[in-house]
Amino acid sequence: MIHLIKLRYLCAKLFNMKEKLFGKTLAELEQVAETAGMPRFSARQMADWLYKKKITAIEEMSNLSRKSRDILSEKYDLGITPPIKVQISTDGTRKYLFPAAANKFIETAMIPERDRITVCVSSQIGCKMGCLFCFTAKQGFQGQLTAGEIVNQVQSIEEREEVSNIVYMGMGEPFDNLEEVLKSLEIFTSEWGFAMSPRRITVSTIGIIPGMVTFLEKSDAHLAVSLHTPFHSERQQLMPVQVAYPVEEVVKEIKSWDFGRQRRVSFEYILFEGLNDSPRHVKELARLLSGLRCRINLIRFHPVPGTPLKSPAEETIQRFKNHLNEKGILTTIRASRGQDIYAACGLLSTKELNSQKSGV
């Protein structure tokens, strides 16, 4: 691993770039300290500055020696990046726009509620999964985010000190960027990092089974699965991933795990008028999820340009919820937030990309 760090440094130096400290795990910081000739305990000092304090430069790590700070500054950038734009909704929701890679952008949503503040983070730049209802998919895949870029979405917002919950439900498929997502979870939950309970974090997936299994093995965070219909042909129409990982197999795998009483599994279900909102869908969902302690979160569809999909009437949504609850499946309706600030994920970053292309 030390050789890998040296190689990364040499590559960064060759291209006149510095490696970033922010986003490194404690083990990686220990290797940084070793290659820099610093005491091993310096890694915890660096982690404390990076993840528990607000600093803007390596120079501010005042309990490191001057020599150590000079060595670090020569080889590394801090790697904390502020957002370049923020939109504020009338309901208090904020949508932050962060730069990512060359002329690319990602979105982060801050959602205030009565007793908590939830931050919705992105895990990729764009997405390759091609879900019909998702505006991020229309950007295509433009790159992976590093653990530092994921964690930075919480570190660099105004509400940093008040954040109580994190959901990986922004741009991208978390299990298509598994290594960096797991590193970011380690930083969020370790005592040397943000020291958050994993029970305050939910990771959402469309159902990439190998990544899901690794996540369940290595993290104690909650799992959410994008379901949207229990029928194969309908789900394939909405989500191409159904071909590789059918929802029946996804649910079968989940049922093989013991989630205990504290860890949650939930299913996200966007309702589309005339497509997945009928009594037969309720019946099939009850069959599919039989014996599994879980929750279904019903989501109102927010119009996305270029798709024929519509949200059903409020009466239909409430009836669907009631019928699922009658079947013994705990079902809630997610509150719609930020309707006046490009609520659908991917809209704000796409708007920024288009303005860059047009020079506006």
Side-chain angles (χ1 to χ4, degrees):
M1 182 64 81
I2 293 174
H3 295 302
L4 179 59
I5 288 179
K6 288 180 177 177
L7 180 61
R8 286 175 178 168
Y9 170 60
L10 289 173
C11 290
K13 188 171 183 180
L14 178 64
F15 291 100
N16 198 28
M17 295 167 56
K18 291 183 180 180
E19 199 174 340
K20 300 182 187 305
L21 277 183
F22 193 81
K24 291 190 179 298
T25 64
L26 182 62
E28 289 173 327
L29 290 173
E30 287 173 348
Q31 289 150 8
V32 168
E34 184 174 344
T35 58
M38 299 163 59
R40 186 180 178 87
F41 64 78
S42 299
R44 283 191 172 268
Q45 293 174 314
M46 286 187 280
D48 189 63
W49 286 107
L50 290 170
Y51 305 124
K52 297 183 182 298
K53 298 173 181 176
K54 276 279 191 179
I55 60 172
T56 59
I58 292 172
E59 176 63 28
E60 296 174 36
M61 297 181 177
S62 55
N63 57 351
L64 299 182
S65 69
R66 165 61 63 185
K67 180 181 178 182
S68 294
R69 281 178 281 166
D70 288 345
I71 292 172
L72 289 176
S73 296
E74 180 186 350
K75 296 183 178 182
Y76 298 95
D77 280 328
L78 185 61
I80 297 174
T81 306
I84 58 173
K85 286 186 179 179
V86 58
Q87 291 185 326
I88 305 175
S89 170
T90 54
D91 65 19
T93 299
R94 293 190 176 202
K95 205 161 199 184
Y96 291 94
L97 189 73
F98 286 92
N103 300 316
K104 308 297 182 186
F105 307 94
I106 57 169
E107 303 173 18
T108 305
M110 185 286 300
I111 306 164
E113 297 175 88
R114 197 179 325 175
D115 58 347
R116 63 184 180 179
I117 287 181
T118 300
V119 176
C120 178
V121 299
S122 295
S123 56
Q124 293 181 308
I125 312 168
C127 186
K128 66 178 75 166
M129 298 303 155
C131 298
L132 179 63
F133 50 84
C134 178
F135 204 72
T136 298
K138 297 185 181 301
Q139 292 184 16
F141 177 69
Q142 301 178 74
Q144 303 283 24
L145 294 182
T146 65
E149 289 171 317
I150 296 170
V151 177
N152 181 71
Q153 295 170 64
V154 176
Q155 176 77 5
S156 294
I157 63 174
E158 290 184 25
E159 300 80 12
R160 160 69 178 90
E161 300 301 325
E162 305 165 77
V163 174
S164 60
N165 295 74
I166 298 171
V167 293
Y168 287 66
M169 295 182 184
M171 298 171 64
E173 162 56 46
F175 297 160
D176 190 42
N177 188 17
L178 184 62
E179 182 178 351
E180 297 301 313
V181 165
L182 288 175
K183 282 175 59 176
S184 68
L185 286 168
E186 182 180 354
I187 293 167
F188 280 135
T189 59
S190 295
E191 50 84 19
W192 49 261
F194 282 52
M196 289 185 67
S197 167
R199 308 307 186 204
R200 295 282 187 172
I201 301 175
T202 300
V203 180
S204 176
T205 179
I206 60 174
I208 298 178
I209 294 175
M212 184 178 74
V213 170
T214 301
F215 162 76
L216 291 173
E217 290 172 343
K218 296 188 175 182
S219 171
D220 291 324
H222 299 309
L223 174 69
V225 176
S226 295
L227 178 54
H228 309 315
T229 177
F231 296 109
H232 178 84
S233 60
E234 290 178 356
R235 195 166 189 264
Q236 184 175 337
Q237 176 188 352
L238 292 170
M239 307 168 69
V241 74
Q242 176 70 9
V243 176
Y245 302 111
V247 69
E248 288 270 6
E249 295 301 314
V250 175
V251 173
K252 180 180 177 181
E253 179 62 42
I254 291 172
K255 285 182 177 180
S256 72
W257 287 79
D258 180 8
F259 278 79
R261 302 302 302 176
Q262 298 298 317
R263 193 178 196 183
R264 290 196 311 266
V265 57
S266 58
F267 294 90
E268 298 161 330
Y269 197 98
I270 302 175
L271 282 162
F272 304 109
E273 183 181 54
L275 178 62
N276 64 350
D277 57 355
S278 72
R280 77 184 185 98
H281 289 89
V282 172
K283 182 178 179 180
E284 183 62 13
L285 283 169
R287 184 202 66 78
L288 178 67
L289 302 179
S290 175
L292 181 62
R293 185 172 58 86
C294 63
R295 173 196 300 263
I296 292 181
N297 289 317
L298 298 181
I299 305 170
R300 298 174 179 87
F301 179 61
H302 304 304
V304 169
T307 69
L309 302 169
K310 297 180 181 179
S311 182
E314 189 64 26
E315 179 183 354
T316 301
I317 296 173
Q318 293 292 337
R319 184 168 58 246
F320 198 84
K321 169 196 165 186
N322 293 339
H323 286 169
L324 283 169
N325 279 319
E326 289 167 5
K327 292 285 188 181
I329 303 174
L330 177 61
T331 305
T332 57
I333 300 173
R334 185 176 297 167
S336 296
R337 305 294 297 270
Q339 294 303 291
D340 52 331
I341 56 166
Y342 300 101
C345 188
L347 283 174
L348 179 59
S349 57
T350 300
K351 180 175 181 288
E352 187 68 22
L353 277 173
N354 291 338
S355 67
Q356 292 279 335
K357 292 175 183 177
S358 62
V360 177

